[in-house]
Amino acid sequence: MPFDAVLCDFYGVIGYVDLTEHERRERACGLVPGTTEKIAFAPELAVPAALGRITVGQWTEAIAAGLAGLAGPQDAAELSRGFVEAGCRIDTEVVGLLRQVRARVPVVLVSNSTLQLNAVLETAGLGRSFDAVVTSAQVGVAKPDRRIYEAAAQAAGAAARRCLFVDDRAANVDTAVELGMTGVVYREPDDLLRVLAPLLSEDHRSSS
């Protein structure tokens, strides 16, 4: 087999945050859509949340505090919760490909995200779809820091040089390649299908 494990990003590859309803609420509160997101992802809030230095609850409260002067305390609290707990659109084609591959090798998620990702996966019905979930909040470092890649490879039980790494950010893929992994910058399902074809062919032959 060409790979002993597949390490895959979540946001931008498998899941896409759906802020449609949240942005409707922002407009109803007299805010420009994207206001909450701008506050939430300001470095002074986003970095501690992504690295697990503050809890998801603390991040939510901090976002609400940043919104309070713009929307009032009650609306700010509701907008903050709505943003943090927003659902995801799942690319079922990508999930299907990864499920086929998982019959052959471990598939591990590697995401720069809070521990909220576990709840997102459960809500999407993907709670048992991966062999492990490695987040920046869990490890304390974020991509492209090599330590999160090493943690993911360890979770997969594979040497780095035998891992396929998939991410929608080229800088993150560059670090994976430096570690000896095969890297794929994801843009569409065909990008994944091409590199997974040998594993899928193996799966097809084994069932023939």
Side-chain angles (χ1 to χ4, degrees):
M1 291 187 292
F3 314 110
D4 290 339
V6 174
L7 314 181
C8 188
D9 185 24
F10 180 74
Y11 293 109
V13 178
I14 299 170
Y16 299 82
V17 178
D18 184 359
L19 294 175
T20 305
E21 177 60 21
H22 172 74
E23 291 177 350
R24 186 194 66 76
R25 291 176 185 169
E26 285 184 313
R27 291 190 188 93
C29 292
L31 300 180
V32 175
T35 299
T36 309
E37 185 173 13
K38 184 177 180 180
I39 291 170
F41 289 129
E44 61 270 21
L45 294 189
V47 172
L51 297 182
R53 296 172 185 164
I54 61 174
T55 66
V56 174
Q58 289 170 326
W59 185 44
T60 305
E61 291 172 1
I63 297 168
L67 287 166
L70 303 174
Q74 183 174 343
D75 285 339
E78 291 178 358
L79 285 169
S80 180
R81 284 195 303 271
F83 177 81
V84 172
E85 297 172 4
C88 269
R89 175 180 64 81
I90 301 299
D91 191 320
T92 56
E93 183 176 358
V94 172
V95 170
L97 286 172
L98 293 175
R99 280 179 175 159
Q100 290 180 65
V101 168
R102 194 178 173 214
R104 306 287 297 171
V105 300
V107 176
V108 173
L109 287 188
V110 193
S111 178
N112 286 352
S113 63
T114 70
L115 296 178
Q116 180 77 5
L117 179 57
N118 295 307
V120 170
L121 294 174
E122 289 292 339
T123 300
L126 299 176
R128 294 191 175 111
S129 295
F130 308 98
D131 293 281
V133 177
V134 177
T135 65
S136 54
Q138 168 195 345
V139 179
V141 293
K143 296 176 289 186
D145 189 300
R146 63 184 294 149
R147 288 172 288 178
I148 193 169
Y149 301 78
E150 291 166 347
Q154 183 177 13
R161 63 182 176 78
R162 294 289 299 165
C163 291
L164 169 68
F165 179 83
V166 183
D167 199 292
D168 63 319
R169 293 181 179 271
N172 293 343
V173 174
D174 288 344
T175 297
V177 172
E178 289 170 6
L179 288 170
M181 298 180 183
T182 300
V184 175
V185 179
Y186 180 87
R187 293 290 178 266
E188 59 184 10
D190 279 351
D191 297 329
L192 194 55
L193 180 59
R194 278 191 293 273
V195 74
L196 292 179
L199 282 175
L200 298 176
S201 296
E202 286 283 343
D203 187 49
H204 175 74
R205 285 197 295 269
S206 67
S207 63
S208 298

